[in-house]
Amino acid sequence: MQSTKLLTPKDVAKAVGLLKAGELVALPTETVYGLFGLALDDKCVEKIYHVKNRSLDHALNLNIASFEQMTFFSKNQPKYLEKLYNKFMPGSLTVILEANDRVPSLVNNGMSTVGFRMPDNQATLEILRQTGPMVGPSANLTGNPSPKTADDVLHDLNGLIAAVLKDDANISGVDSTIIDLTGEMPTILRQGALTLSQINEVIKG
């Protein structure tokens, strides 16, 4: 592959075209840059594992652009799910739900659950609206620091992916909070930008 192309937030159509063609594109979120590819295309998902040198037993999240997409790929959703969605998504929250059989096994490694993420970046959200669900783990080689700038992405992945859409301004570097909603009570699996008390306030409100 040639050197990775550098895109701007105005290049949504170019990014969409590359992704729909099966390429990988690094996109900004509010936390770090993610390495995005079509979630329903096994070749794209396999490519992400290969490029990152990521073990196949590490499940991936589904990045979505609507509440309907989250319910389409899950089952047994808690009644308060839409409240959480309306309050915190898009944003730094990853929600774990029971997966249904629409979730490709390469995405969640055949697990009974799947994570959902809705990144808070306007260009990335618009791309997601046009491509459908994507996987988007951090855009780095496994074991290296998560990328906070487009230059960080290029340091690890230049020539390995088709493009990176540069938008460094609103990246915090703070991980999203991962919350498991499959049990009787919500459980924090990774503390990030949001706290359990903030989440419980919405659930009980």
Side-chain angles (χ1 to χ4, degrees):
M1 183 182 284
Q2 297 178 343
S3 294
T4 297
K5 296 176 183 177
L6 192 62
L7 305 179
T8 75
K10 295 180 180 179
D11 294 323
V12 165
K14 290 181 182 178
V16 170
L18 289 168
L19 287 159
K20 285 187 173 181
E23 300 289 352
L24 304 184
V25 178
L27 300 174
T29 73
E30 79 286 355
T31 57
V32 297
Y33 277 83
L35 180 56
F36 283 78
L38 300 179
L40 304 185
D41 184 331
D42 283 351
K43 289 184 178 179
C44 288
V45 179
E46 287 175 349
K47 198 184 300 185
I48 282 180
Y49 279 110
H50 176 72
V51 166
K52 281 180 60 67
N53 194 25
R54 181 186 177 106
S55 172
L56 285 170
D57 60 3
H58 282 63
L60 297 167
N61 295 324
L62 284 177
N63 285 262
I64 46 99
S66 70
F67 181 75
E68 290 72 23
Q69 287 180 345
M70 186 158 49
T71 56
F72 184 79
F73 289 97
S74 63
K75 61 183 180 181
N76 300 326
Q77 302 94 351
K79 293 179 180 179
Y80 54 76
L81 180 62
E82 193 164 10
K83 279 187 181 180
L84 288 179
Y85 173 85
N86 289 335
K87 179 67 176 179
F88 297 122
M89 301 176 87
S92 298
L93 182 67
T94 300
V95 173
I96 306 296
L97 296 169
E98 288 187 43
N100 61 30
D101 57 10
R102 297 188 181 104
V103 179
S105 59
L106 268 179
V107 171
N108 68 338
N109 191 34
M111 295 171 63
S112 62
T113 59
V114 63
F116 293 92
R117 175 98 158 82
M118 191 175 183
D120 191 8
N121 179 280
Q122 289 306 306
T124 299
L125 273 176
E126 181 55 37
I127 291 166
L128 275 164
R129 291 185 189 107
Q130 296 186 39
T131 61
M134 290 195 285
V135 290
S138 56
N140 59 320
L141 298 176
T142 297
N144 286 2
S146 296
K148 300 177 186 177
T149 68
D151 285 344
D152 291 342
V153 177
L154 293 173
H155 178 271
D156 273 14
L157 303 181
N158 191 22
L160 299 176
I161 63 175
V164 53
L165 190 150
K166 182 176 182 178
D167 185 8
D168 297 346
N170 298 309
I171 292 180
S172 70
V174 179
D175 288 333
S176 67
T177 294
I178 302 176
I179 186 164
D180 186 343
L181 302 183
T182 62
E184 290 185 12
M185 297 293 293
T187 303
I188 296 283
L189 300 183
R190 181 181 72 191
Q191 182 64 66
L194 295 172
T195 65
L196 184 59
S197 61
Q198 288 175 292
I199 292 166
N200 280 334
E201 185 177 345
V202 173
I203 290 173
K204 297 172 182 177

